[in-house]
Amino acid sequence: MDKVIRVLHTEWSDGWGGQEIRIIHEMLAVREHGVEVFLACRESATIRKKALEHQIPVFILPFKGNTDLRTLFALKKLVKQYRIDIINTHSGKDTW
């Protein structure tokens, strides 16, 4: 049996524009090929609502800046708990 690839996307932005739309489309496209996708974003992010509309699991994290240890440790825990294979970051604030 083939191993399921699990990808965690992260997005710091609260807005809804080209980047966030592309992320949702990318997640939906790879999911059609058997990839399990997750999103980590801030609670107030519009992408959160859009992901949930497409039944994409969402994790709420603070993403307060480049040295946000709380978010870093939470991401580490998610990676271990959900056996994430790939973290796909999309913003300067969550790429650190």
Side-chain angles (χ1 to χ4, degrees):
M1 183 170 159
D2 292 334
K3 179 186 182 308
V4 173
I5 297 173
R6 293 178 178 89
V7 179
L8 173 63
H9 290 259
T10 65
E11 179 53 52
W12 174 86
S13 170
D14 287 338
W16 182 248
Q19 177 168 283
E20 295 79 14
I21 293 167
R22 181 189 58 77
I23 294 166
I24 292 292
H25 286 159
E26 179 181 324
M27 294 174 83
L28 294 174
V30 299
R31 187 170 71 178
E32 287 181 13
H33 294 282
V35 175
E36 195 170 347
V37 294
F38 305 87
L39 175 67
C41 63
R42 295 172 3 155
E43 188 170 14
S44 57
T46 304
I47 194 172
R48 173 182 175 239
K49 177 184 173 202
K50 299 296 185 179
L52 292 172
E53 287 173 4
H54 293 285
Q55 292 78 44
I56 295 170
V58 176
F59 306 110
I60 304 302
L61 299 177
F63 289 106
K64 293 201 181 259
N66 296 352
T67 57
D68 179 5
L69 294 178
R70 183 174 168 208
T71 298
L72 182 62
F73 287 117
L75 283 170
K76 182 179 176 183
K77 182 178 178 181
L78 288 172
V79 167
K80 185 175 182 178
Q81 181 177 355
Y82 290 90
R83 299 183 330 266
I84 301 297
D85 299 298
I86 299 168
I87 300 175
N88 191 349
T89 63
H90 299 282
S91 297
K93 295 284 185 188
D94 59 329
T95 299
W96 48 268

